[in-house]
Amino acid sequence: MSKLYKIIFILFIVVSCQKRDWDNPFDPDCPKEIFTPANFQSQQQGNIVKLSWSQPNTKISGFKIERKVGDLTWAEVASEGKGSTTWNDQQPTGGKLHEYRIFAFAGSNTSNQATTQITPLLKATLSTTAATNITSTSASVGGNISNDGGASITSRGVCWNTTGNPNTGNNKTSDGTGKGAFTSTLTDLSPNTTYYLKAFATNNQGTAYGNEISFTTLANLPTLTATVVSIFTASSAVCGGEVTNDGGAQVSERGVCYSTSQNPTTTNNKTAIGNGTGVFSTMITGLTANTTYYVRAYAINKQGTAYGSQESFKTHALALPTVLTTTPSGLTSSGAVLGGNVTSDGNATVTERGVCYSTSQNPTTANNKKIIGSGTGTFSTTVTGLTATTTYYVRAYAINSQGT
């Protein structure tokens, strides 16, 4: 080969090796403007910021998006494929400047940046505070608006109902304007009722709600009429009352409590008489004779124990029975009809009654006697085996716990 041909061949090789693919972004020397995204825009849609762009050059790997909010530093927020033309910022901060920049990248090469910015206005961010100071008809409630979404809060408060998921179309309070914490007192609530509650805040972007909470009002104590004592003896009394209102909760127990001291409670002696509302009564037994007792009706629901008015009574004193002897009749040579009448049991049960007789005056049960039952009232029997033409003395008798 001649020397001239050798020089031409070398130049051809050099020129061929230096030929470059200038429109390929993977080439480090490819101009960046060739694959820089165009028409980069930001737009608020509801509570999100939508970014959009165009990219006619498909010889890339994808896109990287960075964001800067207010005084914060830039941070990468997304890496999208090369076919992407939109991305949604799902968590923008209302009222703060949002700057976005996008780069196309091909391998380790990046394009120039395209930028856009927006200050989104959002609904408020808030929470509902727990209910406190709960009574049977009221409760303290409220909320805390941590972010106004970049727009002034024109109204705020709480809304509530008894079915769940309340909104401002239900019951609501009006608790001023602006960000921060607020409280309110709900009144005229129903006892023993569950309420559902949300805080709300309204700006020009609409109404936002806090988390839903629930609380249950307390029940009232039951309502009782006056305690009633209708009958009493030496050892018992009939007592009762009436539950006219359960206070909004089931009356689980009702009855009477009693003591020899005033204002008895269920920690003293008590007799339970069912549950629910209505009239009730019972006989209290085992009382001490000739003793003053104090008694109150009571009723219990989930809220506590309610008492009726206090009444008092004194049990009867015990005494010997009162008994009359009836005149003997039906006399024969060996017998007679004898009897008597227990007109009072002395406030203690007559356990035995009858007649005693003797040929001596003032006979007792240590002499001849004939038992004729128990209790009060008249009684008689025929006594036989008597001696003819003999004078007998007879007395009716009755025995209770006090004697004969």
Side-chain angles (χ1 to χ4, degrees):
M1 180 181 297
S2 69
K3 186 176 181 180
L4 178 60
Y5 285 130
K6 288 182 179 179
I7 293 173
I8 293 173
F9 180 73
I10 292 171
L11 289 173
F12 176 78
I13 293 174
V14 171
V15 171
S16 297
C17 290
Q18 289 181 346
K19 185 178 180 181
R20 309 296 292 272
D21 189 4
W22 296 107
D23 64 345
N24 183 357
F26 285 91
D27 189 323
D29 292 328
C30 177
K32 293 182 180 293
E33 59 270 15
I34 289 179
F35 62 108
T36 297
N39 302 314
F40 189 41
Q41 297 179 349
S42 55
Q43 182 183 19
Q44 182 176 342
Q45 294 184 350
N47 274 354
I48 67 172
V49 172
K50 181 178 182 179
L51 303 181
S52 62
W53 63 91
S54 61
Q55 173 56 279
N57 193 324
T58 60
K59 297 178 181 181
I60 60 173
S61 300
F63 304 94
K64 292 186 182 297
I65 302 172
E66 296 180 352
R67 180 184 64 187
K68 182 176 183 291
V69 179
D71 296 331
L72 300 178
T73 58
W74 286 98
E76 183 176 320
V77 291
S79 179
E80 297 294 300
K82 65 180 181 180
S84 300
T85 58
T86 61
W87 177 77
N88 293 333
D89 187 350
Q90 301 284 356
Q91 295 182 319
T93 302
K96 289 186 177 294
L97 176 64
H98 287 52
E99 298 176 76
Y100 299 92
R101 61 190 184 190
I102 189 171
F103 306 85
F105 67 95
S108 60
N109 290 340
T110 59
S111 70
N112 294 328
Q113 68 178 22
T115 62
T116 184
Q117 62 184 34
I118 189 174
T119 301
L121 298 178
L122 310 175
K123 290 183 180 180
T125 302
L126 71 161
S127 59
T128 309
T129 54
T132 60
N133 302 320
I134 300 170
T135 71
S136 59
T137 58
S138 65
S140 296
V141 297
N144 184 25
I145 303 170
S146 56
N147 191 303
D148 61 10
S152 298
I153 301 298
T154 55
S155 66
R156 65 186 189 181
V158 293
C159 52
W160 75 96
N161 63 23
T162 58
T163 57
N165 195 29
N167 57 50
T168 53
N170 302 127
N171 300 295
K172 68 176 182 177
T173 65
S174 179
D175 298 310
T177 60
K179 294 194 300 182
F182 60 92
T183 59
S184 189
T185 300
L186 306 185
T187 58
D188 298 324
L189 304 178
S190 299
N192 195 37
T193 301
T194 297
Y195 288 90
Y196 300 89
L197 178 83
K198 288 181 184 178
F200 73 88
T202 302
N203 63 13
N204 62 13
Q205 298 301 299
T207 299
Y209 295 93
N211 54 299
E212 181 178 296
I213 66 165
S214 65
F215 66 92
T216 302
T217 51
L218 302 179
N220 284 321
L221 289 174
T223 302
L224 294 97
T225 58
T227 306
V228 176
V229 180
S230 56
I231 302 172
F232 53 93
T233 68
S235 61
S236 65
V238 176
C239 304
E242 180 181 5
V243 180
T244 57
N245 190 301
D246 62 11
Q250 174 68 30
V251 172
S252 57
E253 182 181 317
R254 66 188 187 185
V256 291
C257 52
Y258 54 97
S259 173
T260 55
S261 300
Q262 294 199 43
N263 298 314
T265 69
T266 54
T267 60
N268 301 119
N269 300 298
K270 74 169 185 175
T271 299
I273 316 170
N275 52 42
T277 58
V279 177
F280 59 93
S281 66
T282 191
M283 177 177 286
I284 302 170
T285 59
L287 304 179
T288 302
N290 197 32
T291 301
T292 298
Y293 284 90
Y294 301 92
V295 60
R296 292 197 294 179
Y298 73 87
I300 301 173
N301 67 7
K302 64 186 296 184
Q303 179 65 9
T305 304
Y307 294 94
S309 59
Q310 177 178 276
E311 296 293 329
S312 65
F313 63 92
K314 187 174 183 179
T315 52
H316 293 156
L318 295 178
L320 291 174
T322 301
V323 58
L324 303 176
T325 306
T326 56
T327 301
S329 62
L331 299 174
T332 67
S333 60
S334 60
V337 176
L338 308 178
N341 182 13
V342 180
T343 58
S344 171
D345 61 8
N347 299 318
T349 301
V350 172
T351 56
E352 181 181 315
R353 67 188 184 183
V355 290
C356 53
Y357 52 97
S358 173
T359 56
S360 300
Q361 291 193 40
N362 298 315
T364 69
T365 54
N367 300 119
N368 299 298
K369 76 172 183 177
K370 187 75 170 182
I371 299 173
I372 316 172
S374 60
T376 58
T378 59
F379 57 93
S380 65
T381 190
T382 299
V383 176
T384 60
L386 302 179
T387 303
T389 65
T390 302
T391 298
Y392 286 88
Y393 301 91
V394 60
R395 290 198 295 181
Y397 74 89
I399 301 173
N400 68 8
S401 60
Q402 299 302 295
T404 303

